[in-house]
């Protein structure tokens, strides 16, 4: 048997990590500004995290949700305290797609409606309704294309208002910082107006914080920059630093009913231990504050350099997009293969930086130096071919 070949792979096998550094099978060290796609929140192989997983694995890794699991309640209390949402309820699952799937299902149960509004360039996952709410026809199978979702431009309230006034919309789902969409930021004005329109028309507002949440933006949640309080918040990626986990934070207006939602593996003992360790490290090492400070430093330095081919540097905290006027491919490959730096990407011309939240200013400077050399080389090559 071989693997089902659906991933375009970089020619590197990563076998070890520590903090913002990873090493390949040949022992080469890399600076990781990708974080395994925003998953590594507290850094690779943090000692406290490793110890917590080891200790829990020696006691119990899994039992089903048919019995009491006090780790789940501890996680709910800690997450409520640190995020500022201690009056919300928590439903634990395994991934971001599942989080959005269950959030939209809850909205439909609550309102009795079928329609969903989502943003142009949105990415919400690959399960049935989550992928239908993703603005990419290439990954939506015919069986998922059921006409439930209308895509509208981010930061233009009038089309959203017009659709909401029809009175048949169950939920609006928005990433306050679009990741796959190229680090596009929702404005405070737009989100506040959308929040009010949802209230006025009995529609549930879902904030997808799967990539932009959990401290990445420099606040616990990205929507906390914008002065709103959504009805449902979805999280995953950074919640357990690489252990598969997702969650839905649900406002008090929703009624919990036995059997309405369910999961086999969600909220298992090992996952809860991992998530609790993440919250420990985030609090003790002030990683949300670090994301704000180092992210601001990195963006300001990149902007001041005024490098060729850089159209715009945008983002919040340690969720940063560098828009280029050339395809990112060569620059990204040079960063990886010549300078040993991992970055992400979006579209055809945006480099996406999603490092662990423990990134230091010295590591930010290291990236800036490498990126500057790569852009200069691309500029020189372009002039030679002119």
């Amino acid at each position: 048997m071989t693997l089902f070949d659906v991933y375009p792979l970089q020619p590197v096998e990563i076998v070890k990590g520590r903090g913002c550094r990873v090493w390949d099978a040949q022992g080469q060290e890399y600076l990781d500004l990708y974080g395994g796609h925003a998953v590594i929140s507290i850094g690779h192989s943090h000692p406290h995290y490793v110890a917590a997983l080891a200790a829990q694995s020696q006691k119990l890794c899994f039992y089903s949700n048919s019995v009491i699991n006090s780790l789940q309640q501890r996680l709910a209390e800690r997450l409520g305290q640190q995020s500022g949402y201690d009056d919300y309820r928590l439903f634990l699952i395994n991934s971001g797609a599942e989080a959005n799937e269950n959030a939209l299902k809850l909205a439909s149960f609550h309102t009795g409606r079928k329609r969903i509004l989502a943003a142009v360039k949105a990415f919400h996952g690959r399960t049935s309704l989550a992928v239908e709410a993703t603005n990419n026809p290439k990954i939506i199978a015919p069986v998922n294309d059921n006409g439930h979702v209308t895509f509208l431009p981010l930061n233009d309230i009038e089309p959203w208002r017009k659709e909401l006034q029809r009175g048949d919309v169950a939920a609006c789902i928005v990433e306050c910082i679009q990741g796959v969409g190229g680090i596009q930021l929702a404005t405070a004005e737009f989100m506040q107006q959308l929040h009010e329109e949802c209230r006025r028309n009995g529609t549930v507002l879902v904030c997808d914080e799967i990539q932009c949440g959990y401290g990445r933006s420099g606040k616990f949640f990205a929507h906390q920059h914008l002065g709103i309080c959504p009805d449902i918040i979805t999280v995953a990626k950074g919640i357990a630093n690489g252990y598969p986990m997702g969650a839905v934070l649900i406002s008090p207006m929703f009624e919990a009913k036995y059997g309405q939602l369910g999961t086999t593996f969600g909220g298992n003992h090992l996952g809860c231990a991992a998530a609790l360790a993440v919250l420990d490290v985030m609090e003790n090492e002030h990683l949300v504050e670090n994301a704000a400070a180092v992210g601001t430093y990195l963006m300001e330095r990149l902007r001041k350099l005024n490098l060729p081919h850089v159209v715009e540097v945008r983002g919040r905290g340690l969720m940063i997009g560098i828009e280029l006027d050339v395809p990112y491919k060569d620059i990204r490959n040079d960063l990886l293969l010549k300078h040993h730096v991992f970055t992400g990407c979006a579209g055809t011309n945006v480099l996406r930086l999603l490092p662990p939240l423990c990134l230091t200013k010295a590591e930010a400077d290291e990236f800036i130096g490498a990126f500057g050399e790569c852009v200069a080389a691309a500029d020189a090559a372009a002039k030679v071919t002119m």
Side-chain angles (χ1 to χ4, degrees):
M1 185 181 292
T2 61
L3 296 173
F4 195 52
D5 189 12
V6 294
Y7 297 116
L9 299 176
Q10 296 286 351
V12 178
E13 182 184 5
I14 298 302
V15 298
K16 185 176 73 170
R18 178 59 63 98
C20 291
R21 306 280 173 172
V22 293
W23 287 261
D24 68 17
Q26 286 70 48
Q28 176 61 56
E29 179 181 328
Y30 298 78
L31 177 63
D32 184 11
L33 270 79
Y34 184 51
H37 203 79
V39 167
I40 302 301
S41 49
I42 61 171
H44 295 279
S45 302
H46 191 288
H48 178 71
Y49 175 83
V50 172
L53 282 171
Q56 183 60 46
S57 69
Q58 291 173 354
K59 292 186 286 188
L60 180 68
C61 290
F62 175 83
Y63 205 80
S64 79
N65 287 303
S66 62
V67 298
I68 293 170
N69 179 353
S70 62
L71 291 172
Q72 292 184 352
Q73 186 56 46
R74 280 176 55 198
L75 177 57
E77 291 170 359
R78 287 286 305 285
L79 179 54
Q81 291 164 5
Q82 286 180 229
S83 69
Y85 282 96
D86 55 4
D87 61 335
Y88 277 44
R89 273 98 31 93
L90 185 66
F91 179 66
L92 293 165
I93 56 276
N94 309 288
S95 69
E98 287 179 69
N100 285 332
E101 194 84 19
N102 282 283
L104 296 174
K105 187 187 296 185
L106 270 177
S108 185
F109 276 134
H110 182 77
T111 63
R113 303 170 182 174
K114 297 181 180 179
R115 290 188 65 217
I116 305 296
L117 303 183
V120 172
K121 296 187 177 181
F123 187 95
H124 296 296
R126 293 177 181 268
T127 55
S128 181
L129 186 52
V131 78
E132 190 177 352
T134 290
N135 189 211
N136 183 352
K138 293 180 180 179
I139 66 170
I140 301 174
V143 73
N144 303 128
D145 190 9
N146 297 309
H148 296 120
V149 182
T150 301
F151 294 102
L152 302 170
L154 189 69
N155 295 329
D156 181 359
I157 192 60
E158 289 308 318
W160 297 76
R161 180 179 285 128
K162 182 178 179 180
E163 293 293 333
L164 285 164
Q165 287 173 350
R166 291 174 54 176
D168 62 349
V169 177
C172 294
I173 183 167
V174 180
E175 303 157 274
C176 291
I177 307 175
Q178 292 183 329
V180 175
I183 314 298
Q184 307 293 337
L185 279 67
T187 65
E189 179 183 21
F190 170 75
M191 290 304 298
Q192 289 169 19
Q193 291 172 333
L194 181 62
H195 185 261
E196 179 58 32
E197 289 298 327
C198 285
R199 284 279 184 271
R200 185 177 293 121
N201 292 283
T203 297
V204 174
L205 179 58
V206 180
C207 278
D208 177 344
E209 294 271 355
I210 287 160
Q211 188 169 141
C212 61
Y214 246 79
R216 181 152 298 280
S217 73
K219 290 185 180 290
F220 201 95
F221 291 125
H223 70 260
Q224 291 170 325
H225 292 276
L226 307 178
I228 63 162
C229 182
D231 303 308
I232 298 177
I233 304 162
T234 57
V235 298
K237 293 197 184 292
I239 187 174
N241 203 54
Y243 190 94
M245 180 176 265
V248 187
L249 282 69
I250 303 162
S251 77
M253 75 180 193
F254 292 88
E255 180 184 0
K257 298 179 180 178
Y258 289 144
Q260 187 179 60
L261 304 178
T263 173
T264 296
F265 296 104
N268 65 70
H269 295 73
L270 201 54
C272 287
L276 284 164
V278 166
L279 290 175
D280 289 341
V281 175
M282 287 179 68
E283 183 175 31
N284 294 337
E285 299 185 9
H286 310 289
L287 293 188
V288 179
E289 296 85 349
N290 187 71
V294 177
T296 298
Y297 173 81
L298 179 50
M299 283 189 283
E300 287 179 350
R301 281 217 55 202
L302 285 168
R303 288 166 180 155
K304 287 178 180 177
L305 288 174
N306 197 26
L307 294 167
H309 300 303
V310 175
V311 175
E312 185 181 16
V313 178
R314 56 181 177 261
R316 282 199 175 97
L318 288 174
M319 188 171 182
I320 299 170
I322 305 172
E323 183 176 344
L324 306 167
D325 63 8
V326 293
Y328 68 75
K329 185 176 180 181
D330 289 343
I331 291 174
R332 185 189 184 207
N333 287 345
D334 278 356
L335 278 167
L336 178 64
L337 300 175
K338 295 181 181 178
H339 297 273
H340 306 115
V341 178
F342 274 96
T343 65
C345 56
T348 59
N349 65 331
V350 177
L351 283 179
R352 197 164 23 144
L353 307 184
L354 306 164
L357 306 185
C358 57
L359 187 77
T360 66
K361 288 183 178 179
E363 289 167 331
D365 287 338
E366 184 179 339
F367 165 75
I368 291 166
F371 177 66
E373 289 185 29
C374 291
V375 172
D379 191 48
K383 289 174 179 176
V384 167
T385 59
M386 290 177 64

